[in-house]
Amino acid sequence: MSAITEDYFIYENRGPGTDHDRYDHRSLRSVPHFTWPGDKRLLIWASVHLEFFPMDMPSAPVKPIGGMDRPYPSVWDFSSRDYGNRVGIYRLMEVLDKHGVRATAAMNSEAAARHPHLMSEILARDWEIAAAGVDMGRLHHAQLSKELEETLVGESFARLRGLSGQAVTGWHSPGHSQSAMTPDIVAAAGGKYIFDWINDDLPYGFRTTAGELTQLPLSYDLSDHKILALQNMPIGDYEYQLSAAFDVLSAESAQRGGRILSLSLTPWIIGQPGRIDALDRLLTRFLAEDGIAAATGEEIRQAWLSVGPKG
């Protein structure tokens, strides 16, 4: 066995808290005080995940978030997720309509093609479409070739842009998956922001080989998927956690500057009849306060570039 040479320990991107050159290390407390446009201090970002789970989903190299738990053909798994796109989504839309919230629909392109009624309802509400890959069976990971990943990203953007007529500037990899090349490929395909990384409460610049993206803070810890489906906690705990997060972020926004509360919503989870009223109560409370507003992902990106501190 050969000895490790000295150059093994030399890494040009080594730095505080990062060890890469994708973005600069930043502590949230070091962000200068600022307010969002319209003198708003806290933005509510509702991202609705519209997914298609193939019945014969692969389990390797990893099973996606929400993937099938039972052997093929898992009718139970498939139909429970299909419930979201056929039933739960309408309850979710009614609640968001009630509170005047325009959402970001993070959509698999296969879901858009298979459920044209969903696209019609989204466009009627002037929601924003963000690309979320092809389907939940095709994740982005290191074992994909660059050519295949370029095909998946390109297909997702092209199909969603064609069906919606929107620019589709946002990207969320299915199941929070990513390879080392995903951001570069997304930027090259015309994406302007991503929301796969869960390491901040504010946006930041994310470098790629095709220019800089904006990374937006989508919280997985506060998602209905983690709290209600993965951790199997009661709806009261979900309501408590979202309400507690709002209290903290609202106080921080008053004392230290603008903040974002991410509402990551899944129709087959929060759209159940025993859960949807919790979201109604939360939005009633959140939007009753002064200085609070709802915004889409692209609106947040543009606001951050116009008023957000760059330090």
Side-chain angles (χ1 to χ4, degrees), residues 193-208:
Y193 74 89
I194 54 176
F195 45 116
D196 290 335
W197 293 52
I198 51 176
N199 59 343
D200 214 308
D201 283 337
L202 285 175
Y204 58 85
F206 196 100
R207 302 183 189 98
T208 79

Side-chain angles (χ1 to χ4, degrees), residues 62-84:
V62 293
K63 187 180 76 171
I65 295 172
M68 306 306 181
D69 293 320
R70 305 181 183 195
Y72 174 84
S74 178
V75 173
W76 186 91
D77 283 317
F78 178 85
S79 59
S80 66
R81 283 134 184 85
D82 188 46
Y83 178 93

